[in-house]
Amino acid sequence: MILRLVKSVTDEQIRFLEDRIVSLGLRADVSRGIERTLIGLVGDTSPIDPGLFTELEWVEEVIRVSRPYKRVSREQRPEGLTIRVGSITFGGPEVVIMAGPCSVEDRPSLLSLARRIQKAGAHALRGGAYKPRKSPYSFQGLGREGLLFLAEASRETGLPIISEATGLHHHRTPAGALEEATPVDAVIEMADILQVGMRNMKSYGLLEEIARRTGPLKMPVLLKRGESATLEEFLLAAEYLALHGNPLTLLCVRGIRTFENQQYQRYTSDIAAIPILKRESHLPVIFDPSHATGDHSLISPLSLAAVAAGADGLLIETHESPRQAISDGRQSITPDELTDLIVEVRRLSGVRTGRDQIPAL
Amino acid sequence: MILRLVKSVTDEQIRFLEDRIVSLGLRADVSRGIERTLIGLVGDTSPIDPGLFTELEWVEEVIRVSRPYKRVSREQRPEGLTIRVGSITFGGPEVVIMAGPCSVEDRPSLLSLARRIQKAGAHALRGGAYKPRKSPYSFQGLGREGLLFLAEASRETGLPIISEATGLHHHRTPAGALEEATPVDAVIEMADILQVGMRNMKSYGLLEEIARRTGPLKMPVLLKRGESATLEEFLLAAEYLALHGNPLTLLCVRGIRTFENQQYQRYTSDIAAIPILKRESHLPVIFDPSHATGDHSLISPLSLAAVAAGADGLLIETHESPRQAISDGRQSITPDELTDLIVEVRRLSGVRTGRDQIPAL
Amino acid sequence: MILRLVKSVTDEQIRFLEDRIVSLGLRADVSRGIERTLIGLVGDTSPIDPGLFTELEWVEEVIRVSRPYKRVSREQRPEGLTIRVGSITFGGPEVVIMAGPCSVEDRPSLLSLARRIQKAGAHALRGGAYKPRKSPYSFQGLGREGLLFLAEASRETGLPIISEATGLHHHRTPAGALEEATPVDAVIEMADILQVGMRNMKSYGLLEEIARRTGPLKMPVLLKRGESATLEEFLLAAEYLALHGNPLTLLCVRGIRTFENQQYQRYTSDIAAIPILKRESHLPVIFDPSHATGDHSLISPLSLAAVAAGADGLLIETHESPRQAISDGRQSITPDELTDLIVEVRRLSGVRTGRDQIPAL
Amino acid sequence: MILRLVKSVTDEQIRFLEDRIVSLGLRADVSRGIERTLIGLVGDTSPIDPGLFTELEWVEEVIRVSRPYKRVSREQRPEGLTIRVGSITFGGPEVVIMAGPCSVEDRPSLLSLARRIQKAGAHALRGGAYKPRKSPYSFQGLGREGLLFLAEASRETGLPIISEATGLHHHRTPAGALEEATPVDAVIEMADILQVGMRNMKSYGLLEEIARRTGPLKMPVLLKRGESATLEEFLLAAEYLALHGNPLTLLCVRGIRTFENQQYQRYTSDIAAIPILKRESHLPVIFDPSHATGDHSLISPLSLAAVAAGADGLLIETHESPRQAISDGRQSITPDELTDLIVEVRRLSGVRTGRDQIPAL
């Protein structure tokens, strides 16, 4: 960290800074140029809040040299973190496929779909029991009952479950009752991986609470990138989880919100984020083509692109019968399409031997 | 709402749609053109989830004619809503000024600042006890103790208090203890207006819970627009509050995240959102120039711009002694600058007689 | 300008840098810290291309202290530049209103409109003879004939003309003929102010050519900000004009392209850009509410916001009879609405005595 | 195209519309619902300017059903267009690699680099003789002399040349002379493919002029997507070229400008644009990883991602000796790295047999 001071800085103000720097356990390296005075901070500055300096009128700019995230950084674990859930391994040679419906609708269709997904070769079952919806009039999910169906599907198929925990509130079921257990409680109780949705990536208090509860259970958290989160903010959200007790985070890249949000794609798929996150952090990186594109015809090319760019896994919305069923979204593929995609992913990841070769810092 | 169907649509599929529409208490107005069949939905479609139709393969597009928000719409209350808190009125002829520190630091400086803010002519005291920070290593706020200081400042000055409730988790104090009361509980207990920050605008479960708790108390909620929320999403978040029990929402416009986020401004101040929100909704509209610009030199011109565009109030970060104090941010102004600004705002709102004339729909 | 060097930098590489810096007429101020070596460049670095250093592997970052634009900077002319065109003055106490149709359609309607605009109190007549259109099938403007109509309207009303010069190509008239004179030639011949549209702000060769031709004529150029240009890029485009012979630039702020481009506004009006540009540059700043919002009902509130924020002028699309006429756009106001708006702008700018007080750097 | 009319529409206004529609050679299909009247336009509406209807007060919305681009659409040539330049074929089974320096610096280094690029297996040589630079103080390119060096390198290696034509102005050489031939003239004279840079994608007059001159020569144009152009705008720019005489366009995807423009990537690589463009248009699609990311360590993963997503070619900045040379940018790779990348691309495109399978409309 380097501080660039204003031209008119006084000796007293420089001493004030030196004292503050020393009080933080660092050393101050003052360099007075003709035009500007600079102070370098020597030591481990990653946990230092730059706000301690930007707030001072006589500090013109704080230039960060080292990364503000530390526990999740690649340096902390150059070989990369592998996370095991049952028999599957994130961060290893195989691309992990998680598939399932956007939201759990009813028991029979979920069980049937789960069996087909397993047959297709997927590794885990995704499904939403709590659905964050932009309109209060939209279906908000079955709640705890949806998780019960998922748990049953898991017992039948052996597929571990991933489901989103939307918060610490009390969910109102479609029948109108308020559930006793919060979404966080219920997902911890019944799923194998807890998903934090993109709308909550910056709900830092919620992240802390989730880390405190899931950490002791060694339950991995799949953290989705916020739709307008910078990569630094994304990594710092993972740092919240790590600092407060849960280092087992899966970083999930999806689309970001840009001007390109109308006709052809709902979000912009930030594929470059995949190799950047692999370089900056030791955490496994997952890609979600369904929410990124909002268009089932783009799921296959974008999944392959993500794998080519180094993704460790894919999270794909799948629905059994888009042609007749009510509940199929435009962004879902069928189990047959999933089967084909998994074949292509395997072929691709076999060729891309360099997939786990991380771009050098 | 108009449904545009695919060319190959069958009679059976059209009947399916008609049935669904009727089951929603509406009438279906089928119009078969040569190239396309269209179905108009007749009746009140505002609470209808478009997903009920977009999910069907044979519905090519759902074109919304009426707004998806209803309770917060201008039509529901063409004269506009006024919200009273103590002696101040939001949505009336006077521009309401809420000022105070970014975060509450200590008792004496807060009390001193509160007195000066009151003298400057401000109407309410803002201050953060719970601070959402992108780094887990940054100061996260004094917590409940900060609210106690705010309550004391309120008793001394008579200024009502507005403070952010960051969630339903347990806050860790600077000393490391976990607080018993959640931020939502504590803010409801001690503040006059509960603020929902921009990071939580899409935490819909949290909004529901807040509405259920604050509604019976007639406690207004100041809802900040998410940094990448569309105006429709913003209004639907207010609709969540209204539907779940609290119609007393203040819409707070701040900056949005755009490519212009580097040198000169942190966010882009979306001033046009002010007249659009006034036209679309009956809720009072507040502008926050401090977080929008991140630069104290822009607070005055942007405050005046917001008032000229029709804002009902301003939320301004103020700090007593930016020159020597540790805790002043670059985006705060001094009480003296606040005094000047309030004079200018009054002069301007006196001239702009048309301030509450809403652009016609 | 400060260079931050890589950890592994060699003495030879530092000497290479020192030589390069000296060869640029500057002095190198080397400061070796424990962690990093920094080199400060002493002297006037504004015309220095940072690429000369970023391209070197051992330069980690180039930190700019002074602004990359010099001729158009506020420092060069702290009192601000006033530009005179006939009897009107840009950059003086009065807010200059330029009004007229989006595109010139025919002679009689233009003459009639021009008279009404003059009566409404506007200062100049705008009108497009060459129209950049995103579809090749859209009306591309009357071409030189449109300029002839504008010139006639100018003679009748005394209003100076501003019109866009779209390039150095040959325009195809609605009748299909290729015009001999390029748009740049024709606009220089017949208008008083040459407008560079937002699509050409980064056509640097075109800017150079325009500066070379308009400079000797002392013809002002109104330069529109590109829809995704940063403010630094915008100011550097004005620097192109100044460096190549024309310092008389009017900076025109309009909307920028953000995710908010759908329902309610076409672009995001970057009102904060107005005080920032006034602070950074001595050039007059104009605001175009018509193209920024794309919605006639927002023109009045946004115009007032821009004036409150310090704008020196407004560029407003006006059309005589939106109700019956074919050629009225949704973003035009009527001459009557223009009359009312000019009254409000005058009242506002009378009150806002501090309008020309520039925020301090 | 469907017109949605205002509630208060009169019979006379509907007749006015019917007349206008008929005068365009189409049929009007009026459907009066209870709430809204809709008019469907029957016939080929792709060349129709929606502005003809949006400008009317009683037309609330124009809903486009068919695409506004026609000549470049996939429907026009479902099998896809192949473009041949010498021995290379764009749009065929092989991924075409174009490599070379950002800007041509001097003859010997260009000749040496060209030989190594050819050996690496690249198909064409790229190099900038005219450089659009955001600062007027930056190096603007060697001009025509640079093209002479490129032509010589082409004769030696047999590689065809692609180079950017920045406009119809007169280029000033580093020595300060104004060149007689414009960049467009010079590139047409000496290169094999004319590149239109992202800053000129919306300079429609320039596109027309380029199409008129290159069309008769059957010289392909590589058109870069503007940094904030929607895909529809991008395809319409290609439509300009096709309509005015040159259907041989290569669509070049690079990054778009989003909030993610700071630390880790300069632009956001819009990989999803590749399959979307392949689906919408029959033109070959190229990806430029160098300008998209601005970071040489991301070029390999993003190139592979683009190929996996269906790209027909890559445009890659290459420089011989980044370690010592002055003129290497951070976004260039070495010829050795290029060699490795080409091997990987071949392996990948061998596996991805479905590369030219276009997502169905």
Side-chain angles (χ1 to χ4, degrees):
Chain A
M1 200 176 273
I2 298 167
L3 313 180
R4 196 178 80 232
L5 310 184
V6 298
K7 278 191 189 178
S8 59
V9 68
T10 63
D11 287 354
E12 198 189 357
Q13 289 168 329
I14 292 176
R15 269 197 305 277
F16 179 97
L17 283 171
E18 291 179 300
D19 289 351
R20 179 168 289 187
I21 290 163
V22 167
S23 78
L24 293 165
L26 303 167
R27 229 149 42 69
D29 184 19
V30 181
S31 125
R32 290 172 188 265
I34 290 149
E35 288 222 321
R36 281 289 183 281
T37 297
L38 305 166
I39 303 187
L41 277 68
V42 185
D44 175 15
T45 57
S46 59
I48 302 297
D49 179 4
L52 285 171
F53 301 105
T54 50
E55 71 200 5
L56 298 162
E57 283 285 308
W58 61 86
V59 175
E60 213 164 64
E61 195 180 1
V62 174
I63 303 145
R64 216 147 44 191
V65 178
S66 53
R67 308 305 200 198
Y69 34 84
K70 182 168 183 172
R71 288 163 192 256
V72 303
S73 71
R74 171 64 57 179
E75 286 89 341
Q76 285 294 303
R77 196 184 271 269
E79 73 287 7
L81 178 70
T82 52
I83 297 181
R84 282 191 185 76
V85 180
S87 62
I88 60 178
T89 303
F90 293 94
E94 194 169 12
V95 176
V96 177
I97 311 286
M98 295 167 274
C102 176
S103 58
V104 177
E105 291 157 17
D106 58 65
R107 190 177 160 280
S109 71
L110 181 71
L111 292 178
S112 163
L113 179 63
R115 278 179 226 116
R116 296 197 58 193
I117 281 172
Q118 182 205 18
K119 247 191 208 153
H123 306 87
L125 179 65
R126 57 144 291 154
Y130 303 97
K131 298 302 303 173
R133 302 297 299 271
K134 76 174 182 175
S135 168
Y137 303 110
S138 296
F139 174 59
Q140 313 269 324
L142 289 183
R144 199 164 176 282
E145 191 183 21
L147 286 169
L148 287 168
F149 299 157
L150 284 166
E152 187 179 344
S154 175
R155 281 192 303 273
E156 260 208 33
T157 59
L159 297 174
I161 296 300
I162 169 166
S163 196
E164 180 173 351
T166 49
L168 295 160
H169 58 282
H170 298 282
H171 179 76
R172 189 180 295 275
T173 66
L178 282 184
E179 294 187 349
E180 176 68 32
T182 69
V184 168
D185 293 326
V187 170
I188 289 177
E189 182 196 344
M190 282 185 284
D192 300 285
I193 301 172
L194 182 150
Q195 176 178 319
V196 175
M198 65 102 167
R199 291 168 188 81
N200 280 327
M201 192 210 87
K202 296 189 179 179
S203 297
Y204 300 119
L206 178 63
L207 295 184
E208 277 192 46
E209 197 76 46
I210 286 172
R212 276 198 290 269
R213 299 194 194 180
T214 54
L217 307 170
K218 305 220 176 301
M219 180 180 203
V221 172
L222 180 138
L223 178 68
K224 286 204 166 178
R225 180 184 181 184
E227 65 186 354
S228 62
T230 63
L231 292 174
E232 185 181 295
E233 289 169 346
F234 188 24
L235 288 165
L236 282 168
E239 187 85 2
Y240 261 100
L241 292 170
L243 181 65
H244 292 285
N246 193 341
L248 303 176
T249 297
L250 301 163
L251 297 172
C252 183
V253 169
R254 33 164 292 164
I256 57 172
R257 189 158 266 192
T258 74
F259 68 87
E260 188 65 302
N261 55 353
Q262 295 179 289
Q263 271 172 287
Y264 301 117
Q265 45 184 337
R266 219 168 33 183
Y267 289 94
T268 299
S269 295
D270 185 6
I271 296 294
I274 297 169
I276 296 171
L277 290 170
K278 297 289 290 179
R279 181 184 71 192
E280 294 291 321
S281 168
H282 60 260
L283 300 174
V285 176
I286 310 300
F287 180 64
D288 172 351
S290 307
H291 288 90
T293 64
D295 177 346
H296 65 90
S297 84
L298 298 174
I299 287 176
S300 174
L302 268 289
S303 292
L304 296 174
V307 170
D312 296 296
L314 296 168
L315 190 65
I316 296 173
E317 288 200 0
T318 312
H319 198 284
E320 205 160 1
S321 45
R323 295 295 112 77
Q324 351 157 328
I326 306 176
S327 34
D328 177 65
R330 299 199 165 278
Q331 66 195 38
S332 293
I333 59 174
T334 63
D336 285 347
E337 290 165 334
L338 180 67
T339 308
D340 292 348
L341 176 57
I342 291 175
V343 171
E344 285 211 75
V345 165
R346 287 215 178 114
R347 210 156 36 178
L348 180 64
S349 65
V351 166
R352 174 99 180 84
T353 52
R355 203 182 56 77
D356 44 2
Q357 285 163 12
I358 308 311
L361 271 174
Chain B
M1 201 177 274
I2 297 167
L3 312 181
R4 196 178 80 232
L5 309 184
V6 298
K7 278 190 190 180
S8 59
V9 69
T10 64
D11 287 354
E12 196 188 0
Q13 288 168 329
I14 291 175
R15 270 198 305 280
F16 179 97
L17 283 170
E18 290 180 300
D19 289 350
R20 180 169 289 187
I21 290 163
V22 167
S23 78
L24 293 165
L26 303 168
R27 230 151 41 67
D29 185 19
V30 180
S31 125
R32 288 171 188 266
I34 292 151
E35 289 224 317
R36 280 287 183 281
T37 297
L38 304 166
I39 302 186
L41 278 68
V42 185
D44 175 15
T45 57
S46 58
I48 302 296
D49 179 4
L52 284 171
F53 301 104
T54 49
E55 71 200 4
L56 298 163
E57 281 286 311
W58 62 85
V59 175
E60 211 164 65
E61 195 180 1
V62 175
I63 302 146
R64 222 157 30 203
V65 177
S66 55
R67 307 306 200 198
Y69 34 84
K70 182 169 184 171
R71 290 164 190 256
V72 304
S73 71
R74 172 62 60 176
E75 287 86 343
Q76 285 294 303
R77 197 184 273 269
E79 74 286 8
L81 177 71
T82 52
I83 297 181
R84 283 192 184 75
V85 180
S87 62
I88 61 178
T89 303
F90 292 92
E94 194 168 14
V95 176
V96 177
I97 312 286
M98 293 168 275
C102 177
S103 59
V104 177
E105 292 157 14
D106 59 65
R107 190 176 159 281
S109 71
L110 181 72
L111 292 178
S112 163
L113 178 63
R115 278 180 224 114
R116 295 198 58 192
I117 281 172
Q118 181 205 22
K119 248 193 207 149
H123 304 89
L125 180 64
R126 58 145 289 156
Y130 303 97
K131 300 301 304 171
R133 303 297 299 271
K134 77 173 182 178
S135 168
Y137 304 110
S138 294
F139 175 60
Q140 313 268 325
L142 289 182
R144 200 165 175 281
E145 190 183 23
L147 285 169
L148 287 168
F149 298 158
L150 284 165
E152 185 178 346
S154 175
R155 282 192 303 274
E156 260 207 35
T157 59
L159 297 174
I161 295 301
I162 169 167
S163 196
E164 179 173 350
T166 48
L168 294 160
H169 58 282
H170 298 282
H171 179 77
R172 191 181 293 276
T173 66
L178 282 184
E179 293 188 351
E180 176 69 32
T182 70
V184 168
D185 293 326
V187 168
I188 289 177
E189 180 196 346
M190 282 186 282
D192 300 284
I193 302 171
L194 182 149
Q195 177 178 317
V196 175
M198 64 103 167
R199 291 169 189 79
N200 282 326
M201 193 211 86
K202 296 189 179 178
S203 297
Y204 300 120
L206 179 62
L207 294 183
E208 278 193 44
E209 196 77 46
I210 286 172
R212 277 198 289 269
R213 300 194 193 181
T214 54
L217 307 171
K218 305 218 176 302
M219 182 181 202
V221 172
L222 181 139
L223 178 68
K224 287 202 166 182
R225 179 184 183 184
E227 64 186 355
S228 62
T230 63
L231 292 175
E232 184 180 295
E233 289 169 346
F234 188 25
L235 288 165
L236 282 169
E239 187 85 1
Y240 261 100
L241 292 170
L243 181 66
H244 291 286
N246 194 341
L248 304 176
T249 298
L250 302 163
L251 297 171
C252 184
V253 170
R254 33 164 293 163
I256 56 173
R257 189 159 267 192
T258 74
F259 68 85
E260 187 65 301
N261 57 352
Q262 294 180 290
Q263 268 172 289
Y264 300 117
Q265 43 184 340
R266 218 166 34 180
Y267 290 94
T268 298
S269 296
D270 185 5
I271 295 295
I274 297 169
I276 295 171
L277 291 170
K278 297 289 291 179
R279 181 184 71 193
E280 295 290 321
S281 168
H282 59 260
L283 299 175
V285 177
I286 310 299
F287 180 65
D288 173 352
S290 306
H291 288 90
T293 64
D295 177 345
H296 65 89
S297 84
L298 298 174
I299 287 176
S300 174
L302 267 290
S303 292
L304 297 173
V307 170
D312 296 297
L314 296 168
L315 191 65
I316 297 172
E317 288 200 1
T318 314
H319 198 285
E320 204 159 5
S321 45
R323 295 297 112 74
Q324 349 159 327
I326 305 176
S327 34
D328 175 66
R330 297 198 165 279
Q331 66 196 38
S332 295
I333 59 173
T334 64
D336 285 348
E337 290 165 333
L338 180 67
T339 309
D340 293 349
L341 176 57
I342 291 175
V343 170
E344 286 210 76
V345 165
R346 288 210 177 119
R347 213 158 32 180
L348 180 64
S349 64
V351 165
R352 174 100 179 79
T353 53
R355 201 180 57 76
D356 43 2
Q357 285 162 13
I358 307 310
L361 270 174
Chain C
M1 201 177 272
I2 298 167
L3 313 179
R4 196 178 80 231
L5 309 183
V6 299
K7 277 190 189 177
S8 58
V9 69
T10 63
D11 286 354
E12 197 189 359
Q13 288 167 330
I14 291 175
R15 269 197 306 279
F16 180 97
L17 283 170
E18 290 180 300
D19 289 351
R20 179 169 290 188
I21 290 163
V22 167
S23 77
L24 294 164
L26 303 168
R27 229 149 41 69
D29 184 19
V30 180
S31 126
R32 291 173 186 262
I34 291 149
E35 289 223 320
R36 281 290 182 280
T37 298
L38 305 165
I39 302 187
L41 277 68
V42 186
D44 175 16
T45 58
S46 58
I48 302 296
D49 179 4
L52 285 172
F53 301 105
T54 50
E55 71 200 4
L56 297 162
E57 281 285 309
W58 61 86
V59 175
E60 212 163 64
E61 195 181 2
V62 174
I63 302 145
R64 219 146 44 190
V65 178
S66 54
R67 307 306 200 199
Y69 33 84
K70 180 168 184 171
R71 288 162 192 257
V72 303
S73 71
R74 171 65 56 178
E75 285 88 342
Q76 285 295 301
R77 197 184 272 268
E79 74 287 6
L81 177 70
T82 53
I83 297 181
R84 282 192 186 75
V85 180
S87 63
I88 60 178
T89 303
F90 292 93
E94 196 168 11
V95 176
V96 177
I97 312 286
M98 294 168 275
C102 176
S103 59
V104 177
E105 291 157 16
D106 59 64
R107 190 178 160 280
S109 71
L110 181 71
L111 292 178
S112 163
L113 178 63
R115 279 179 225 115
R116 295 198 59 193
I117 281 172
Q118 179 205 21
K119 248 193 208 150
H123 306 88
L125 180 65
R126 56 145 292 154
Y130 304 97
K131 299 302 303 172
R133 302 297 299 271
K134 74 174 183 176
S135 168
Y137 303 109
S138 295
F139 175 59
Q140 314 268 325
L142 289 183
R144 199 165 175 282
E145 191 183 21
L147 286 169
L148 287 168
F149 298 158
L150 284 166
E152 186 179 345
S154 175
R155 281 192 303 274
E156 261 209 33
T157 58
L159 297 174
I161 296 300
I162 169 165
S163 198
E164 179 172 351
T166 48
L168 294 160
H169 58 282
H170 298 283
H171 179 76
R172 190 179 295 274
T173 66
L178 281 184
E179 294 187 350
E180 176 68 33
T182 70
V184 167
D185 292 326
V187 169
I188 288 176
E189 182 195 346
M190 282 184 283
D192 301 284
I193 302 172
L194 182 150
Q195 177 178 320
V196 175
M198 64 103 167
R199 292 169 189 79
N200 281 327
M201 193 210 86
K202 296 189 179 179
S203 296
Y204 300 120
L206 178 62
L207 295 183
E208 277 192 45
E209 197 76 45
I210 286 172
R212 277 198 290 270
R213 299 194 193 179
T214 54
L217 307 170
K218 305 221 176 300
M219 182 182 202
V221 173
L222 181 138
L223 178 68
K224 287 204 167 180
R225 179 183 182 184
E227 64 186 355
S228 61
T230 63
L231 293 174
E232 185 180 295
E233 288 168 347
F234 188 24
L235 288 165
L236 282 168
E239 187 85 1
Y240 261 99
L241 291 170
L243 181 65
H244 291 285
N246 193 342
L248 303 176
T249 298
L250 301 163
L251 297 171
C252 184
V253 169
R254 35 164 291 164
I256 57 173
R257 189 158 265 192
T258 73
F259 68 86
E260 188 65 301
N261 56 353
Q262 294 178 290
Q263 271 171 285
Y264 300 117
Q265 44 184 339
R266 217 167 36 181
Y267 290 95
T268 298
S269 296
D270 186 6
I271 296 294
I274 298 169
I276 296 170
L277 291 170
K278 296 289 290 179
R279 181 184 70 192
E280 295 291 320
S281 168
H282 60 260
L283 299 175
V285 176
I286 310 300
F287 180 65
D288 173 351
S290 307
H291 288 90
T293 65
D295 177 346
H296 64 89
S297 84
L298 297 175
I299 288 177
S300 174
L302 268 290
S303 292
L304 297 174
V307 170
D312 295 298
L314 297 167
L315 191 64
I316 297 172
E317 288 199 0
T318 313
H319 198 284
E320 206 161 1
S321 45
R323 296 297 111 78
Q324 350 158 326
I326 306 176
S327 35
D328 176 65
R330 299 200 164 277
Q331 66 196 37
S332 294
I333 58 174
T334 64
D336 285 347
E337 290 166 334
L338 180 67
T339 309
D340 292 348
L341 176 56
I342 292 175
V343 170
E344 285 211 76
V345 164
R346 287 213 177 116
R347 211 158 33 180
L348 181 63
S349 65
V351 166
R352 174 98 179 83
T353 52
R355 203 181 56 78
D356 44 2
Q357 286 163 12
I358 308 311
L361 271 173
Chain D
M1 201 177 275
I2 298 167
L3 312 180
R4 197 178 80 231
L5 309 183
V6 299
K7 278 190 190 180
S8 58
V9 69
T10 64
D11 286 354
E12 196 189 357
Q13 288 168 329
I14 291 175
R15 271 197 304 280
F16 180 98
L17 282 170
E18 290 180 299
D19 289 351
R20 180 168 289 186
I21 289 163
V22 168
S23 78
L24 293 164
L26 302 168
R27 230 152 38 71
D29 185 18
V30 180
S31 127
R32 287 172 190 266
I34 291 150
E35 290 223 317
R36 280 288 183 282
T37 297
L38 305 166
I39 302 186
L41 278 68
V42 185
D44 175 14
T45 58
S46 59
I48 303 296
D49 180 4
L52 284 172
F53 301 104
T54 51
E55 71 201 4
L56 296 163
E57 282 287 310
W58 61 85
V59 175
E60 211 163 66
E61 196 180 0
V62 175
I63 302 147
R64 217 149 42 196
V65 177
S66 54
R67 307 305 200 200
Y69 33 85
K70 182 168 183 173
R71 288 163 191 257
V72 302
S73 71
R74 171 65 57 177
E75 285 88 343
Q76 285 295 301
R77 196 184 272 268
E79 74 286 7
L81 177 70
T82 52
I83 297 181
R84 283 193 185 74
V85 180
S87 62
I88 61 179
T89 303
F90 292 93
E94 194 169 13
V95 176
V96 177
I97 311 286
M98 294 168 273
C102 176
S103 59
V104 176
E105 291 156 16
D106 58 65
R107 191 177 160 280
S109 70
L110 181 72
L111 292 178
S112 163
L113 178 64
R115 278 180 225 114
R116 294 198 58 193
I117 281 171
Q118 180 206 20
K119 248 193 208 150
H123 306 88
L125 179 64
R126 56 145 291 157
Y130 303 96
K131 299 301 303 171
R133 302 297 299 270
K134 75 173 184 178
S135 169
Y137 303 110
S138 294
F139 174 60
Q140 314 268 324
L142 289 183
R144 200 166 175 282
E145 191 183 21
L147 286 168
L148 287 168
F149 298 159
L150 284 165
E152 186 178 346
S154 174
R155 282 192 302 274
E156 261 208 35
T157 60
L159 299 174
I161 296 300
I162 169 166
S163 196
E164 179 172 351
T166 49
L168 295 159
H169 57 282
H170 298 283
H171 179 76
R172 190 180 294 275
T173 66
L178 281 184
E179 293 187 351
E180 177 67 32
T182 70
V184 168
D185 293 325
V187 169
I188 289 176
E189 181 195 346
M190 282 185 283
D192 301 284
I193 303 171
L194 181 148
Q195 177 178 318
V196 175
M198 64 104 167
R199 292 168 189 79
N200 281 327
M201 192 211 86
K202 296 190 180 178
S203 296
Y204 300 119
L206 178 62
L207 295 183
E208 278 193 44
E209 197 76 47
I210 286 172
R212 277 197 289 270
R213 300 194 193 181
T214 54
L217 306 171
K218 304 217 177 302
M219 182 182 202
V221 172
L222 181 138
L223 178 67
K224 288 203 166 181
R225 178 183 183 185
E227 63 186 355
S228 61
T230 63
L231 292 175
E232 184 181 294
E233 289 169 346
F234 187 25
L235 288 165
L236 282 169
E239 187 85 2
Y240 261 100
L241 291 170
L243 181 65
H244 292 286
N246 193 342
L248 304 176
T249 298
L250 301 163
L251 297 172
C252 184
V253 169
R254 31 163 294 164
I256 57 173
R257 189 159 266 191
T258 74
F259 69 86
E260 188 65 302
N261 56 353
Q262 295 180 289
Q263 268 172 289
Y264 300 117
Q265 43 185 338
R266 218 167 35 181
Y267 290 94
T268 298
S269 296
D270 185 7
I271 295 295
I274 298 168
I276 295 171
L277 291 169
K278 296 290 290 179
R279 181 184 71 194
E280 296 290 320
S281 169
H282 60 259
L283 300 174
V285 177
I286 310 299
F287 180 65
D288 173 352
S290 306
H291 288 90
T293 64
D295 177 347
H296 64 90
S297 84
L298 298 175
I299 287 176
S300 173
L302 269 289
S303 292
L304 297 173
V307 170
D312 295 298
L314 296 167
L315 191 64
I316 297 173
E317 288 199 0
T318 313
H319 198 284
E320 204 158 6
S321 45
R323 294 298 111 73
Q324 350 158 326
I326 305 177
S327 34
D328 175 66
R330 298 199 164 278
Q331 66 196 39
S332 295
I333 59 173
T334 63
D336 285 347
E337 290 165 334
L338 179 67
T339 308
D340 293 348
L341 176 57
I342 290 175
V343 170
E344 287 210 74
V345 165
R346 288 211 177 119
R347 212 158 32 179
L348 181 64
S349 64
V351 166
R352 175 99 178 82
T353 52
R355 201 180 57 75
D356 43 1
Q357 286 162 12
I358 308 310
L361 270 175

